[in-house]
Amino acid sequence: MNTHDDRPKKRFGQNFLHDPSIIQRIIDVINPKPSDNIIEIGPGKGALTKPLLNNVKQLHVIEIDRQLANNLAEALGHPKHLFIHQADALNLDFSKFNLKQLRIVGNLPYNISTPLLFHLLEFSSYIEDMIFMLQKEVVERICAKPGNKQYGRLTIMLQLHFDVEQLFIIKPGAFKPAPKIDSAIVRLMPLTSPRYPILNVECFSAIVKAAFSQRRKTIRNALKNYLDEERINDAGIAPEKRPETLSISDYVKLANLYHQLKNRQL
Ligand code: SAM
């Protein structure tokens, strides 16, 4: 029985889907099959959970809000194939399910979407695909091309490991309460190996982080603690370029050079 205050909690980014045609459109994109290992992040009151349950043999859901997690099974009629984990998806070890080829889906809380995507990167070898609703601006950052204003660290870290695709836009009226911004659906499909061969993941992360913490500077200035102008030139990159104009393969070249330098191989 729901005896609690069930007003949406802003701190958990709770905007609940209520438009049946949008819910169906998302389910069509997910295209759940009985044997799929689906994990839903943030089931809330079950808008997506319910139709997913109709299509799969088992469904794991991760909900941080204890009250929503406690109410969900009852709201959905205690389905035996629903496994509710009251947990913070940001800290969750996605390898613990002992399942491979995970399909991770959800209408994600917008306040944690970027750190959550970085967290999920660590589990890309367990993932078959991910289909998320996010704020449109974040989806544009994920799918951006070099030279574009949205192109940045999130773009590069994700596109190195995933094929990404923006699917469709959802207007605020599909949610209660309505957010102030548009949302979009994105699909991320892990690559079997990184898009370009990288020698060391930590060096790559460090180079990309440094480049975009100094976005308005030239790449020479942004990376001055990592690579000198000559090395940047050696990688075939003009040192006066801006960080957002370099391609992912440029960053891989710079990171590989940095790794070799660090290990005194150059
Ligand atoms: N899926 C539901 C829907 O579409 O109506 C709810 C979506 S709502 C935008 C986000 C949900 O994620 C909420 O239920 C919220 O409590 C939950 N949530 C927020 N932060 C979370 C976290 N760190 N880990 C797991 N769930 C979280």
Side-chain angles (χ1 to χ4, degrees), residues 179-204:
K180 292 196 177 70
I181 39 153
D182 285 350
S183 305
I185 301 281
V186 65
R187 187 202 321 263
L188 300 109
M189 309 267 290
L191 303 167
T192 45
S193 55
R195 196 172 295 281
Y196 305 99
I198 53 170
L199 296 176
N200 180 280
V201 184
E202 284 76 34
C203 288
F204 184 77

Side-chain angles (χ1 to χ4, degrees), residues 217-230 232-233 237-243 246 254:
K217 294 194 173 177
T218 60
I219 195 71
R220 170 183 47 221
N221 286 345
L223 296 186
K224 68 172 186 294
N225 294 331
Y226 296 83
L227 293 166
D228 60 25
E229 180 163 3
E230 202 186 326
I232 296 174
N233 255 324
I237 296 156
E240 59 281 359
K241 279 187 143 186
R242 304 261 162 211
L246 268 59
L254 293 173

Side-chain angles (χ1 to χ4, degrees), residues 159-170:
Q159 289 191 20
L160 182 70
H161 297 284
F162 293 88
D163 276 333
V164 300
E165 188 185 0
Q166 175 174 321
L167 297 176
F168 57 89
I169 289 168
I170 298 164

